Amino acid sequence: MARRHLKSRADTASKSTPPHVDVSTIVKGVIDDIRANGDAAVRKYSEVFDKWSPASFKLSREDIEASIAACSAQTIEDIKQVQRNVRAFAQAQRDSIKDFEYEIQPGVTLGQKNLPIQTVGAYIPGGRYPLLASAHMTILTAKVAGVPKVIGCTPPIAGKIPHATIAAMHLAGADEIYLLGGVQAIAAMALGTETMAKVDFIAGPGNAFVAEAKRHLFGEIGIDLFAGPTEILIVADETADPFTVATDILSQAEHGQDSPAVIITTSEAVGRESMRIITELLKNLSTAELAGTSWERFGEVIVVGSIDEAWTLADEYASEHVQILTKEPREALKKMNAYGALFLGEKTCVSYGDKVIGTNHVLPTKKAARYTGGLWVGKYLRTVTYQEVTSRQASGELGRLCGRAARAENFEGHARSGDLRAYNYLGDQFEWIQRDR
């Protein structure tokens, strides 16, 4: 059976679109200004983009305590419960990463250590929604990895302090918290200013400007991912409940107006009914303006001939979130290879991963799942190696091997380092290749 599209992506090029914004040029200008002028430039752009210019962007202990006090007791308890889940999974990941030594031959020891990055910047988006969960995913995971200093930045929302986000950042373990957003926050952390220390690594999602700032600064600092719009792909067979499919598609489409939402199904009936229900649900969804635009422009429903074809097509999409609503959902673990995260069965949903379950929600988009996973404890670690040779015999034998191997590549200096160790072991029995040493 050939693939059939019940719904394809809209031809957005034919629709009226706002004037083109040169994101890269704007971002480069802001970064260059902050590089040259530090705090003064940071303040200027915060005033322009966020209408925010406090006496200090850094929150004091009193400010943080006031934010915590402004939250309900239930909100604080919920933050703590979610963070317990995230911490437990992150700790299990950390425990799976081992330092080791291996004696590759008598007298030759090779070793591996996993050292935490020393200073990390965590960006917690604001804008349309206060994304508390990003504090857990970025800050807490860094702390479980052993990062000594984590600087957190989050923007004001409509000129106000996002109290719940501040509480989440503090409870996650942030050492410093700045109420600062956008490119100016990324640049300040990456470059350092008179009042903010330079970090070694930046993690966290954000809008197109934040993503572009991370791209520009990558190399000067490390980053977690080049993130794009949120994506969801649902694989469904004839056993899937169309209402569940529709509900879960819209849960991710509401992230923004450019969030791809794809249904791959072996059942035309499930596909058509899911589409009908999506239309009905959008009539009374408070985020329908965003979710509906994403669904109209980037929604797809594809009917395939078999479940094996569904797995193959899903891998081609390499989506950020892949939800499996089939009779045997765990089959995806064996059959699929390219995804940011899998959500298995109707009792699981992508929203759990976004908000509460404990796995990390900073995940690859735009097919990056073909070559990378998402943010995890290991992203905050530097795996380094060491070596030690204690046997004169082993050193001599390695020296002779090194001499031959290096000369095969015309690296005479390398070869002579090996020769020296061979001579130290063999003495006059060693035949020097180059007599004019």
Side-chain angles (χ1 to χ4, degrees), residues 311-327:
W311 303 136
T312 299
L313 181 57
D315 269 350
E316 291 176 17
Y317 276 86
S319 184
E320 176 186 17
H321 305 105
V322 178
Q323 189 165 345
I324 309 299
L325 299 176
T326 62
K327 184 178 181 180

Side-chain angles (χ1 to χ4, degrees), residues 29-231:
V30 173
I31 291 172
D32 288 347
D33 195 357
I34 292 173
R35 190 188 300 276
N37 299 300
D39 283 334
V42 170
R43 183 168 296 279
K44 176 175 70 176
Y45 292 112
S46 181
E47 291 172 349
V48 169
F49 297 133
D50 288 332
K51 306 295 186 293
W52 185 254
S53 184
S56 173
F57 292 106
K58 183 180 179 180
L59 299 185
S60 67
R61 183 167 186 82
E62 291 73 23
D63 294 331
I64 294 169
E65 289 175 349
S67 283
I68 294 172
C71 300
S72 70
Q74 185 64 63
T75 295
I76 296 300
E77 180 51 41
D78 288 345
I79 290 171
K80 290 180 177 179
Q81 177 59 56
V82 173
Q83 289 188 352
R84 283 193 286 270
N85 293 345
V86 174
R87 183 180 291 106
F89 188 71
Q91 188 61 59
Q93 288 183 320
R94 182 64 186 91
D95 293 344
S96 74
I97 304 170
K98 304 296 184 183
D99 295 354
F100 67 85
E101 284 190 356
Y102 175 61
E103 191 174 35
I104 195 167
Q105 64 186 71
V108 181
T109 300
L110 310 181
Q112 170 179 294
K113 291 178 66 66
N114 295 281
L115 304 176
I117 297 168
Q118 292 299 288
T119 308
V120 163
Y123 186 75
I124 317 304
R128 197 176 292 118
Y129 309 114
L131 296 180
L132 280 65
S134 290
H136 324 323
M137 307 303 174
T138 56
I139 298 169
L140 193 153
T141 305
K143 282 300 182 181
V144 172
V147 175
K149 185 174 184 179
V150 179
I151 294 173
C153 283
T154 195
I157 297 180
K160 297 182 180 179
I161 298 174
H163 294 301
T165 304
I166 299 302
M169 293 168 74
H170 173 72
L171 293 171
D175 298 286
E176 296 178 7
I177 298 176
Y178 291 79
L179 202 54
L180 185 64
V183 179
Q184 59 271 24
I186 300 298
M189 289 190 288
L191 303 174
T193 71
E194 299 92 322
T195 58
M196 187 183 295
K198 183 185 187 304
V199 303
D200 301 311
F201 183 94
I202 291 178
N207 62 19
F209 290 90
V210 168
E212 184 66 11
K214 289 166 68 177
R215 190 186 72 79
H216 268 277
L217 291 160
F218 177 60
E220 292 188 60
I221 47 101
I223 65 170
D224 51 354
L225 296 166
F226 294 115
T230 293
E231 303 166 350

Side-chain angles (χ1 to χ4, degrees), residues 246-281:
T247 299
D248 291 348
I249 280 287
L250 292 179
S251 75
Q252 297 302 298
E254 73 178 0
H255 273 276
Q257 296 182 345
D258 53 358
S259 293
V262 180
I263 301 168
I264 298 174
T265 182
T266 57
S267 168
E268 181 172 339
V270 168
R272 292 195 180 280
E273 182 65 4
S274 297
M275 292 167 61
R276 186 192 69 78
I277 295 172
I278 287 171
T279 300
E280 290 299 313
L281 292 176

